[in-house]
Amino acid sequence: MDLSFARFDRHADAAVLLPVDLAVLMVRVAARQAASPTAIAHAQMTYRPAEGMRFAPVDGAFNGATARALAAWKNE
């Protein structure tokens, strides 16, 4: 049994708040990274159009072969 977990200390601060300036800086950095030419090129290279019948398969079931096998097994 692992008993190396940290104990709850009632005298410790429950949450350490970060300065507002740091939060704003982090948001700006994330936005600039997302808008960088490298990130845009990567998003364009990895983009795949959604499959047309992905959520409406021809069989009418998630897996047609399994649905037929279950139906046959149920009728036995």
Side-chain angles (χ1 to χ4, degrees), residues 31-50:
R32 290 183 75 188
Q33 285 180 342
S36 71
T38 306
I40 292 170
H42 184 265
Q44 290 173 348
M45 286 188 298
T46 58
Y47 172 75
R48 281 189 248 155

Side-chain angles (χ1 to χ4, degrees), residues 7-71:
R7 302 271 184 217
F8 181 71
D9 186 6
R10 292 183 183 173
H11 301 294
D13 292 335
V16 178
L17 298 176
L18 296 175
V20 175
D21 294 339
L22 178 61
V24 171
L25 176 66
M26 296 301 287
V27 169
R28 286 183 180 171
V29 167
R32 290 183 75 188
Q33 285 180 342
S36 71
T38 306
I40 292 170
H42 184 265
Q44 290 173 348
M45 286 188 298
T46 58
Y47 172 75
R48 281 189 248 155
E51 297 175 17
M53 298 298 290
R54 185 175 193 172
F55 296 109
V58 176
D59 293 333
F62 180 72
N63 186 336
T66 303
R68 285 187 294 278
L70 289 172

Side-chain angles (χ1 to χ4, degrees), residues 1-7:
M1 182 179 347
D2 183 18
L3 297 176
S4 63
F5 57 89
R7 302 271 184 217

